[in-house]
């Protein structure tokens, strides 16, 4: 995380945001395979798409008190997932 903040570590852009590039996370000393890491860093598009209606329902509970930026971000996420 510190390397990402300082701009020395790469990341790949995904529909849900930036994820660490392959090999960017030091897993030395951990019982984690490359396949495990690939699975952990995979975007479950269907899972995210199925969560959007639930998020919208939750946001609706706040009515006018919900900052508009949250709905804008959710709409952007929905579009990025559709185009992924």
């Amino acid at each position: 995380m510190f390397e990402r903040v300082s701009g020395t570590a790469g990341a790949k852009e995904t529909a849900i945001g930036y994820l660490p590039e392959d090999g960017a996370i030091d897993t030395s000393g951990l019982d984690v395979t490359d396949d495990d890491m690939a699975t952990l860093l995979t975007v479950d598009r269907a899972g995210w798409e199925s969560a959007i209606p639930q998020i919208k329902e939750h946001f609706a509970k706040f009515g006018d008190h919900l900052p508009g930026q949250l709905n804008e971000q959710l709409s952007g996420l929905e579009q990025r997932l559709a185009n992924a």
Side-chain angles (χ1 to χ4, degrees):
M1 178 174 20
F2 294 112
E3 291 169 343
R4 285 275 298 125
V5 171
S6 67
T8 60
K12 56 186 173 186
E13 189 173 0
T14 71
I16 63 168
Y18 290 95
L19 293 177
E21 290 181 338
D22 295 338
I25 298 176
D26 180 8
T27 58
S28 58
L30 301 176
D31 186 19
V32 179
T33 66
D34 289 343
D35 288 341
D36 291 338
M37 288 304 297
T39 299
L40 289 168
L41 297 174
T42 299
V43 175
D44 177 4
R45 185 174 152 225
W48 278 98
E49 287 175 335
S50 70
I52 288 177
Q54 297 168 340
I55 297 169
K56 287 181 179 180
E57 182 180 331
H58 180 69
F59 281 3
K61 294 177 184 178
F62 297 94
D64 294 339
H65 297 288
L66 185 78
Q69 294 89 343
L70 290 176
N71 278 320
E72 291 171 16
Q73 288 295 320
L74 185 58
S75 293
L77 172 62
E78 192 170 22
Q79 290 174 357
R80 289 188 305 275
L81 288 168
N83 295 325

